[in-house]
Amino acid sequence: MTRDEAKNKIIFALDVDNLKDIDGWAEKLSTKVGMFKVGKELFTSAGPAAVEAVKRHGGEVFLDLKYHDIPNTVAQAMLAAGRLGVKLANLHALGGPEMMEKASQAVRKEFSDNERPRLLAVTILTSSTQDTLKAVGIEHPVEEMVVRLAKLAKESGMDGVVASPLEIGAIRAACGPDFLIVTPGVRPSFAAVDDQKRIMTPAEAVKSGADYLVIGRPIAKATDPVQAAELIVDEIMAGGQ
Ligand code: C5P
């Protein structure tokens, strides 16, 4: 794996709430990571300007808004995400096949294959346990639901899923080599574990089959964030195929 390929696997989680901080991070890291994740807190605070700020610094965006609504509303929201020029956007697979199909068809109709955002499904949130599922009436084991929803997402036109590192193997086996797997819960060997519980190192996650790694605090809280990003690239390459 080349250095560029390893770098492009890193998605930096922009867990900030204002445009000024985005400028700071994007300026520092746009040549050091492959993409920036804009989530609900930042998008609710700063709106589309958050995406524009990253792009102004030459960065690409994963819009992590996890849509779950009636099919028409989700399809329109995905089109809006595409018009903002994001590379990745996501929705909840629990919204069902019609919701995912409509979203997939809408973006494929409006954008060329090169330009369209890649659509990811969230299967079961990693914060959910067996008890969480039971409380909402789902009696199946979490692992079974994760694979079932990943397969459904693929059949419904999704390009991939967001998954915990420990789910990568089962999803890869069920959904094949071309299905994108994006994983948070990654901790480089030099970093603190923070509140992440089911973790892997970047090299382990890539070896298990992850296409992209979402990494926040190991870079954001490092004394030297640029060096931390470079060390993560080193780790991916050292473990790489
Ligand atoms: O700082 P850290 O590397 O833990 O950040 C990971 C990012 O991925 C955060 O934005 C967090 O909300 C997100 N995330 C996560 N674990 C999940 C799903 C998403 O840490 N299971």
Side-chain angles (χ1 to χ4, degrees), residues 202-225:
E204 285 167 345
V206 169
K207 261 201 203 150
S208 306
D211 296 288
Y212 296 100
L213 315 174
V214 176
I215 303 178
R217 286 163 292 181
I219 295 174
K221 303 279 183 227
T223 330
D224 182 344

Side-chain angles (χ1 to χ4, degrees), residues 216-239:
R217 286 163 292 181
I219 295 174
K221 303 279 183 227
T223 330
D224 182 344
V226 168
Q227 186 198 34
E230 280 169 351
L231 284 174
I232 295 171
V233 172
D234 291 343
E235 280 195 26
I236 295 173
M237 289 180 72

Side-chain angles (χ1 to χ4, degrees), residues 67-143:
Y67 301 132
H68 186 166
D69 212 311
I70 59 170
N72 185 59
T73 299
V74 170
Q76 294 302 324
M78 280 303 184
L79 284 178
R83 290 174 196 138
L84 282 178
V86 309
K87 261 247 152 47
L88 297 173
N90 59 1
L91 47 67
H92 274 285
L94 280 168
E98 191 193 340
M99 188 195 80
M100 291 190 275
E101 280 160 15
K102 274 248 165 74
S104 161
Q105 286 161 6
V107 297
R108 283 168 204 270
K109 190 163 170 226
E110 175 155 331
F111 304 100
S112 69
D113 203 49
N114 274 340
E115 283 173 353
R116 77 177 173 86
R118 266 42 186 171
L119 304 191
L120 306 173
V122 173
T123 58
I124 298 292
L125 289 169
T126 49
S127 53
S128 295
T129 63
Q130 208 58 56
D131 287 341
T132 321
L133 295 192
K134 232 179 175 163
V136 296
I138 298 172
E139 303 286 343
H140 301 282
V142 174
E143 306 74 49

Side-chain angles (χ1 to χ4, degrees), residues 13-15 37 64 66 125-127 162-164 184-187 193-196 214-218:
L14 265 175
D15 289 326
K37 180 170 84 74
D64 180 23
K66 301 187 182 72
L125 289 169
T126 49
S127 53
V162 183
S164 123
V186 176
R187 281 295 173 270
V193 167
D194 300 309
D195 56 358
Q196 295 283 6
V214 176
I215 303 178
R217 286 163 292 181

